[in-house]
Amino acid sequence: MSHENLDRVIALAGIYQAVNCVMRIARNGATDTDAMTPCIHALFEVDPKTVDAVFGEPGAVVNGARQIVAQITGQPERTLEMTRYVVQVIKLERSLSRRPDMLARISQGIEQAVLKREHFALLHPNLIAHFAEVYSSVLSQLSPRIMIRGESLHLSNPDNQNRVRALLLAAVRAAMLWRQVGGTRLQILFKNRQIIEAARHYIDTHAV
């Protein structure tokens, strides 16, 4: 397996993992902290040495890799809603890439978050709220606007709203990484075999 294929599937898994966390919050009001942590961690990695290092420890996005396999093979289940969110995230990142002014605003927001990390843990509500504000003030102005479906009880909760927006920002960051390592939407449509092979290799290497 080529190094490039593995890098691309790790970045793609980052998108799927963040989106899966969003869906769990929208439906259940909670998500797995172990799955959410690598997504938020990636927002601080602006100059990583490797693609895997963006998300923290090796194997950090195994959950996302499992979602990739499920979406392509239908085993155990294919969720069209997840596919729709992933496609929207990729389109949103492309819109962002054409706006250097907005990229600069996001960079500034991340720099401010780095200072906040001196006082707050990675998933502290204050830090999550900061990233949510960055998403709302920048990315919500671009097209497409991502509308999350779920239980109104959960989606009306301010803490859940912040987590959803912070995770969508993380998904866009993973989409940027995916494009930087050569990922394209056509690969998702026409190179399923290579994607599944790389995703399964990643899962087999890191799953416990």
Side-chain angles (χ1 to χ4, degrees), residues 17-158:
Q17 186 153 314
V19 166
N20 186 49
C21 287
V22 167
M23 293 176 63
R24 286 181 176 273
I25 292 169
R27 293 176 176 181
N28 307 318
T31 191
D32 184 359
T33 299
D34 289 340
M36 183 174 173
T37 296
C39 303
I40 303 303
H41 179 276
L43 291 171
F44 290 96
E45 294 296 326
V46 295
D47 189 25
K49 293 182 178 179
T50 66
V51 171
D52 209 14
V54 171
F55 301 101
E57 297 296 323
V61 289
V62 163
N63 175 279
R66 290 194 178 106
Q67 302 303 322
I68 292 173
V69 174
Q71 289 301 103
I72 293 176
T73 66
Q75 300 295 325
E77 182 181 11
R78 181 181 291 114
T79 307
L80 295 180
E81 182 181 13
M82 176 175 287
T83 298
R84 183 174 68 253
Y85 290 147
V86 169
V87 170
Q88 288 176 332
V89 164
I90 292 171
K91 289 181 177 178
L92 182 57
E93 189 280 326
R94 290 298 295 165
S95 296
L96 176 64
S97 69
R98 301 185 186 101
R99 293 291 303 271
D101 57 325
M102 291 191 170
L103 284 168
R105 288 171 60 186
I106 290 177
S107 295
Q108 183 180 29
I110 290 173
E111 290 174 2
Q112 293 168 349
V114 170
L115 297 177
K116 290 178 182 290
R117 275 297 306 273
E118 297 176 3
H119 307 286
F120 301 114
L122 185 65
L123 299 186
H124 191 281
N126 287 8
L127 195 56
I128 296 301
H130 173 78
F131 282 128
E133 174 58 27
V134 172
Y135 179 87
S136 296
S137 63
V138 180
L139 288 173
S140 63
Q141 301 178 35
L142 296 174
S143 179
R145 295 196 66 179
I146 302 175
M147 305 301 293
I148 302 300
R149 297 179 180 178
E151 297 294 329
S152 59
L153 174 65
H154 303 316
L155 290 175
S156 62
N157 181 293

Side-chain angles (χ1 to χ4, degrees), residues 7 9 16 18 57 68 80 146 153 159 168 177 187 193:
D7 279 350
V9 87
Y16 274 89
E57 297 296 323
I68 292 173
L80 295 180
I146 302 175
L153 174 65
D159 286 338
L168 287 175
L177 177 66
Q187 290 171 359
R193 183 180 63 79

